Amino acid sequence: RVQFDLWDSDDVPVPRKELLQKVKGVDALVCVLTEKIDAELLDAAGPNLKVLSTMSVGFDHLSLEELKKSILLQLCVYVCVGIRVGYTPDVLTDSVAELTVALLLTTSRRLIEATHEAKSGGWGTWRTLWLCGYELANSTVGILGLGRIGVAIAERLKPFKVKKFIYTDVAPRPELASLIDAEYVSMDELASQSDFLTVCCALTPETKDICNKDLFSKMKNTSIFINTSRGGVVDQEDLYEALSSGQIAGAGLDVTVPEPLPTSHPLFTLNNCVILPHIASASYSTRNAMSALAANNLLLGLKGQPMIKELKL
Ligand SMILES: O=C(O)[C@H](O)CO
């Protein structure tokens, strides 16, 4: 039997102070990406904590260093298990890929500007170049960080008659790349060849701010930049500069730093920047699948059995 204490609100995350009190002595914890799992939280939880289950594929909110340290500490007192960590990859791949395609088309075909014009009286006579955008047919699509989600995005974009898929990563990923016939290129080539550049990498110390002035300055001024991974991979000041100066044509972001992005943020002033409130996995079926997987990971971890999806620390 498992006794649990639930933060029963979908409107606000559990206040940090309350979380720190409630975790005292627990054996396991389910969290989402708004909870920072760091030294302070692990200290507050204490040595009973054996299982952590995050309802997310991304795990940049977990301090892996601290979780690893907790394993070492436990080993020092001859307990041969540390904290085990479950997460929810795969079940959200379709939803995230679908939303990425929707965001890409919304940005490249200027749908937000267009609906605004239609309902605010800006819809005059038919004009040759009014609200023109960029199409996928015959384009080169670049993927920064090729994993399951990048492949799923490419599979969905292919029927739009994309000419070529290219990708970059820390090393070539031939098995995944062969599924979508994608060519491995350098970061510079990705920037200069992509008509659409979509970011699919995890946020790590190596990828933080990887999309910066240097990258944007090598992109075509007709290119569209899309990010549905984590806001931290983008230097937002450099992106603002690239968008406002016309260095690139547009950007679609589902993720930002911070989240929520303050409504006064300069990126909100730009017509060529579409910003969504981190909804890539927000379909009913995917969120159900994520929560079931997070719960099952937790229960299996508590029973000392292999989790369905476990992070190797
Ligand atoms: O990491 C994740 O799971 C997504 O960003 C939220 O669904």
Side-chain angles (χ1 to χ4, degrees), residues 26-306:
V26 299
D27 296 294
L29 177 66
V30 181
C31 67
V32 293
L33 47 84
T34 45
E35 275 72 64
K36 295 270 164 278
I37 307 299
D38 54 11
E40 182 187 39
L41 185 129
L42 295 175
D43 273 357
N48 273 1
L49 186 64
K50 298 167 200 59
V51 180
L52 180 65
S53 175
T54 180
M55 188 183 131
S56 62
V57 62
F59 45 84
D60 47 288
H61 55 301
L62 314 180
S63 167
L64 298 185
E65 278 316 302
E66 293 302 329
L67 286 161
K68 278 184 208 160
K69 262 192 227 162
S70 83
I71 293 178
L72 291 178
L73 269 179
Q74 294 197 21
L75 285 174
C76 289
V77 289
Y78 308 108
V79 181
C80 289
V81 284
I83 298 178
R84 293 172 58 198
V85 180
Y87 70 136
T88 63
D90 300 337
V91 292
L92 46 61
T93 300
D94 288 335
S95 177
V96 173
E98 195 173 289
L99 188 284
T100 305
V101 172
L103 179 58
L104 185 149
L105 289 168
T106 301
T107 309
S108 61
R109 298 304 301 268
R110 303 172 63 182
L111 301 189
I112 304 296
E113 281 175 84
T115 54
H116 175 75
E117 292 295 324
K119 67 179 176 196
S120 65
W123 186 359
T125 181
W126 189 92
R127 280 168 277 165
T128 318
L129 291 178
W130 188 52
L131 286 173
C132 281
Y134 298 94
E135 66 186 50
L136 277 160
N138 284 317
S139 69
T140 296
V141 172
I143 300 167
L144 175 48
L146 186 66
R148 300 165 292 253
I149 293 177
V151 168
I153 293 169
E155 284 169 344
R156 282 159 179 77
L157 291 179
K158 207 176 163 73
F160 284 89
K161 299 191 181 169
V162 169
K163 186 175 67 192
K164 192 173 172 190
F165 290 103
I166 56 178
Y167 75 102
T168 199
D169 211 315
V170 279
R173 308 199 62 182
E175 273 179 30
L176 284 175
S178 68
L179 298 173
I180 51 167
D181 203 13
E183 184 189 329
Y184 182 72
V185 295
S186 67
M187 186 76 164
D188 281 1
E189 288 166 325
L190 190 85
S192 62
Q193 292 179 26
S194 297
D195 297 303
F196 298 87
L197 199 165
T198 177
V199 184
C200 302
C201 60
L203 174 61
T204 64
E206 291 73 37
T207 60
K208 186 167 167 8
D209 292 335
I210 196 170
C211 301
N212 53 26
K213 195 177 180 156
D214 189 45
L215 177 102
F216 299 131
S217 68
K218 292 176 183 128
M219 286 174 69
K220 306 175 197 182
N221 58 16
T222 50
S223 297
I224 302 288
F225 175 82
I226 301 295
N227 184 16
T228 51
S229 68
R230 283 292 182 268
V233 301
V234 178
D235 182 316
Q236 287 177 176
E237 276 181 31
D238 289 356
L239 177 62
Y240 175 83
E241 195 47 44
L243 286 166
S244 57
S245 66
Q247 174 62 51
I248 65 173
L253 312 173
D254 182 47
V255 284
T256 58
V257 177
E259 291 181 4
L261 191 67
T263 51
S264 59
H265 195 281
L267 282 172
F268 277 120
T269 64
L270 300 174
N271 279 339
N272 57 351
C273 188
V274 176
I275 300 175
L276 301 178
H278 203 148
I279 55 163
S281 68
S283 72
Y284 291 111
S285 54
T286 289
R287 288 286 164 85
N288 277 333
M290 288 168 76
S291 43
L293 179 52
N296 282 318
N297 279 340
L298 176 111
L299 293 174
L300 289 165
L302 278 175
K303 285 193 216 158
Q305 294 174 6

